Amino acid sequence: MGRAPEVQGPYGKENMRNKLVVAAVVLVLALAAAAWLAYPMDAAGWAAWTQTAGVVAAIWWSVRLQARQSEQGILQATRVAVVFATNMHWAFRKLNDASAKRSWPEFLVNRRILDEILAQGRNVPVQMLEGRALAMVSTLRAMGVEALEVTAGHQPNGDWHDLQTYFSKRLPSISAWLSATGNPPESNGPTDY
């Protein structure tokens, strides 16, 4: 299985900042050149140039704030996605352990927890995710639905070995997704968002 291509952070954060700085410098130089070429001689001319500079600065500042809010929204969505993936890893690990022990009560409790984690995963704002985080959430949602379907008909006297094999085969995939997004799996349990 090949590696996924490297994906740069939210909208190429460094690249965006560099472009913004270059645009601001070019704009300031253009205004300075325009002021030098059309040198105002009276007070009204100076007031117009000052007002123009203020409007340009206000526009630049609002664009900068909007970009910053967008970056923070993407970062928050990524954090929620990682919490979802960590919780999925924990639930799959617990279901694997319950299957190994052939513990029906533990299995039922952890299956309910998996159902709840999957419900929380539906609240991950995928429209704000990109690259690996988006692929991770989509894949883990599908894995969670599949796990619920596979475990739905399981009975206390069912085939525990097949169930354990099912979960143990999927745990490395979840760990790999977490590691690929820079968040190795932890041993703690589900947390609230």
Side-chain angles (χ1 to χ4, degrees), residues 4-5 7-11 74-82 84-85 121-143 177-178 180-183:
V7 178
Q8 194 171 359
Y11 299 118
I74 291 168
L75 183 61
Q76 180 63 28
T78 304
R79 286 181 184 149
V80 171
V82 168
F84 168 63
R122 291 183 192 106
N123 295 326
V124 175
V126 292
Q127 69 277 8
M128 302 222 26
L129 296 176
E130 59 182 20
R132 288 185 181 157
L134 178 59
M136 176 182 70
V137 169
S138 300
T139 302
L140 292 182
R141 282 180 179 176
M143 284 176 70
W177 276 116
L178 283 165
T181 57
N183 302 286

Side-chain angles (χ1 to χ4, degrees), residues 92 95 99 104 107-108 110-112 114-115 118 143-160 162-163 166-167:
F92 270 60
L95 284 164
S99 298
W104 181 248
F107 173 79
L108 286 178
N110 288 308
R111 187 180 184 286
R112 285 187 204 125
L114 174 63
D115 191 27
L118 193 57
M143 284 176 70
V145 169
E146 179 188 49
L148 289 176
E149 289 175 0
V150 166
T151 58
H154 188 69
Q155 298 297 321
N157 58 353
D159 190 353
W160 289 97
D162 282 351
L163 205 55
Y166 174 83
F167 287 111

Side-chain angles (χ1 to χ4, degrees), residues 6 34 39 51 89 113 116 120 150 175 193:
E6 290 293 321
Y39 185 75
Q51 186 177 14
H89 183 265
I113 291 171
E116 179 62 30
Q120 290 174 347
V150 166
S175 296
Y193 288 41

Side-chain angles (χ1 to χ4, degrees), residues 18-192:
N18 290 341
K19 286 181 181 179
L20 193 60
V21 168
V22 169
V25 168
V26 168
L27 185 61
V28 167
L29 290 175
L31 281 175
W36 184 70
L37 291 174
Y39 185 75
M41 297 308 228
D42 59 352
W46 277 109
W49 277 107
T50 304
Q51 186 177 14
T52 302
V55 167
V56 168
I59 291 170
W60 175 78
W61 186 254
S62 68
V63 167
R64 184 171 179 260
L65 284 178
Q66 187 175 10
R68 191 171 192 188
Q69 284 178 337
S70 176
E71 288 173 4
Q72 288 175 346
I74 291 168
L75 183 61
Q76 180 63 28
T78 304
R79 286 181 184 149
V80 171
V82 168
V83 168
F84 168 63
T86 302
N87 290 346
M88 284 286 289
H89 183 265
W90 182 89
F92 270 60
R93 198 175 71 241
K94 288 297 186 179
L95 284 164
N96 183 47
D97 294 346
S99 298
K101 295 180 206 172
R102 300 175 190 268
S103 172
W104 181 248
E106 191 176 325
F107 173 79
L108 286 178
V109 166
N110 288 308
R111 187 180 184 286
R112 285 187 204 125
I113 291 171
L114 174 63
D115 191 27
E116 179 62 30
I117 290 168
L118 193 57
Q120 290 174 347
R122 291 183 192 106
N123 295 326
V124 175
V126 292
Q127 69 277 8
M128 302 222 26
L129 296 176
E130 59 182 20
R132 288 185 181 157
L134 178 59
M136 176 182 70
V137 169
S138 300
T139 302
L140 292 182
R141 282 180 179 176
M143 284 176 70
V145 169
E146 179 188 49
L148 289 176
E149 289 175 0
V150 166
T151 58
H154 188 69
Q155 298 297 321
N157 58 353
D159 190 353
W160 289 97
H161 178 70
D162 282 351
L163 205 55
Q164 182 187 9
T165 302
Y166 174 83
F167 287 111
S168 64
K169 283 184 178 178
R170 281 143 185 88
L171 278 169
S173 297
I174 301 172
S175 296
W177 276 116
L178 283 165
S179 295
T181 57
N183 302 286
E186 299 175 9
S187 59
N188 59 348
T191 57
D192 292 333

